[in-house]
Amino acid sequence: MAHTLPPLDPRPDLPADQVRDFARDGHTVVRGLATPEEVAAFLPPIDAMVRKVAPHFGALESRDTYGKAFLQVPNLCMHDDAARAFSFAPRFAKVAAELLQVDGVRLYHDQALFKEPGGGHTPWHQDQNYWPLATDRTITMWMPLVDIPEHVGSMTFVDGSHLRRAMGDWIIGDESEAAYESMRHEQGFRTTTYGAMKAGDATFHAGWTLHRAPANPTGMMRAVMTIILFADGTRVAPIEAPQQAFDQQIWLAGAEPGTVIDGPGNPLLWPV
Ligand SMILES: O=C(O)CCC(=O)C(=O)O
């Protein structure tokens, strides 16, 4: 219940060189952004929500590559007080605003990404291919709620790829994996992974940063919560692909291109 949850209060500012490096690389890690005790308070309600809907995903073997990558459960904050306290946390939104170097950030949406035991790789993709947001000031916080060992691993990012913006128009799947993988060989991308992570560590990546994640060869559930935020003042972008029309309806309440995004589904999370 929300009243027993620890408050995720803001922390002091990030070091200036971390903000500078994020602008250059399009990704960073903040170790210990939440303490093990704090995460332990949020894991049970989030885990229960994911496990409740898990049967709807069907057997792992019957899914396509994207479906095998994780149980993707969006909008937890709209259905549960504890998830709302997590996803609306000023601590996380403040870090996002600092990294984006903007005065304020709004929620795009949250989602749990639980990679099951035996779950497949997450194909190379750029998130912002999905998002009709007329800004490059977008960011995802990706926080494991359990310790993730080296052989499960966290994401791999292509350094500086966010500066190229759209590198293709693939949505996530076998095609995006093959296309970006051959680009990687041809162009010799420099990549970074932060490897093993503790519960409460978090990576942040920009919406245009090209990334993937390895499969889960273990018997553990890779329980991860993500929060996607964008700069306050952002407008709806022209709709150029079917997945963007979907996002426009689901995450932006159908707001028309050119409209400033400020509806109740996209609350201002920083400053509070
Ligand atoms: O959790 C994963 O495997 C990938 C997550 C991801 O692609 C994202 O948060 O943008």
Side-chain angles (χ1 to χ4, degrees):
M1 290 185 299
H3 63 273
T4 63
L5 294 168
L8 295 167
D9 291 335
R11 294 256 182 90
D13 290 355
L14 296 171
D17 59 346
Q18 186 167 18
V19 174
R20 186 201 58 215
D21 291 353
F22 179 83
R24 182 193 60 206
D25 297 333
H27 56 79
T28 193
V29 67
V30 182
R31 302 278 179 192
L33 184 58
T35 65
E37 296 73 26
E38 287 167 339
V39 174
F42 289 96
L43 174 60
I46 292 173
D47 188 64
M49 292 180 80
V50 173
R51 287 180 195 272
K52 193 168 160 199
V53 298
H56 298 295
F57 287 80
L60 187 65
E61 313 72 58
S62 67
R63 301 183 215 148
D64 65 8
T65 301
Y66 182 19
K68 285 190 175 95
F70 34 59
L71 300 171
Q72 179 173 11
V73 185
N75 256 354
L76 301 188
C77 62
M78 300 300 169
H79 302 291
D80 180 82
D81 288 347
R84 184 176 310 111
F86 184 91
S87 296
F88 285 27
R91 185 181 302 166
F92 305 152
K94 175 175 186 279
V95 171
E98 283 180 66
L99 291 170
L100 293 177
Q101 301 186 57
V102 297
D103 292 335
V105 289
R106 288 183 178 269
L107 178 70
Y108 189 45
H109 60 89
D110 68 353
Q111 54 189 0
L113 297 177
F114 280 32
K115 201 180 280 284
E116 299 149 286
H121 68 283
T122 308
W124 285 116
H125 65 284
Q126 291 180 296
D127 300 333
Q128 203 149 336
N129 278 341
Y130 287 83
W131 303 341
L133 300 174
T135 182
D136 56 0
R137 302 288 155 139
T138 60
I139 195 165
T140 298
M141 184 193 86
W142 188 97
M143 179 180 281
L145 305 178
V146 294
D147 292 352
I148 300 184
E150 191 70 41
H151 55 291
V152 175
S154 49
M155 286 181 281
T156 296
F157 302 102
V158 176
D159 303 345
S161 48
H162 63 308
L163 301 174
R164 297 171 63 169
R165 302 177 73 109
M167 295 167 67
D169 55 7
W170 298 282
I171 53 170
I172 183 170
D174 291 333
E175 237 192 309
S176 70
E177 176 73 6
Y180 289 122
E181 190 59 19
S182 69
M183 245 187 238
R184 185 171 79 87
H185 286 297
E186 283 155 21
Q187 299 178 25
F189 292 157
R190 275 195 37 203
T191 61
T192 298
T193 178
Y194 298 103
M197 292 178 70
K198 294 274 186 207
D201 291 348
T203 60
F204 288 80
H205 65 275
W208 284 118
T209 302
L210 181 60
H211 58 284
R212 78 187 296 284
N216 178 6
T218 72
M220 68 170 281
M221 179 72 94
R222 193 214 65 178
V224 163
M225 195 53 196
T226 64
I227 308 168
I228 303 163
L229 302 138
F230 59 89
D232 184 30
T234 295
R235 294 175 189 272
V236 181
I239 305 300
E240 290 169 347
Q243 72 273 12
Q244 294 169 3
F246 175 86
D247 267 41
Q248 178 193 25
Q249 296 308 318
I250 303 294
W251 312 122
L252 302 174
E256 288 302 322
T259 315
V260 173
I261 305 166
D262 59 2
N266 306 105
L268 186 69
L269 299 186
W270 185 263
V272 283

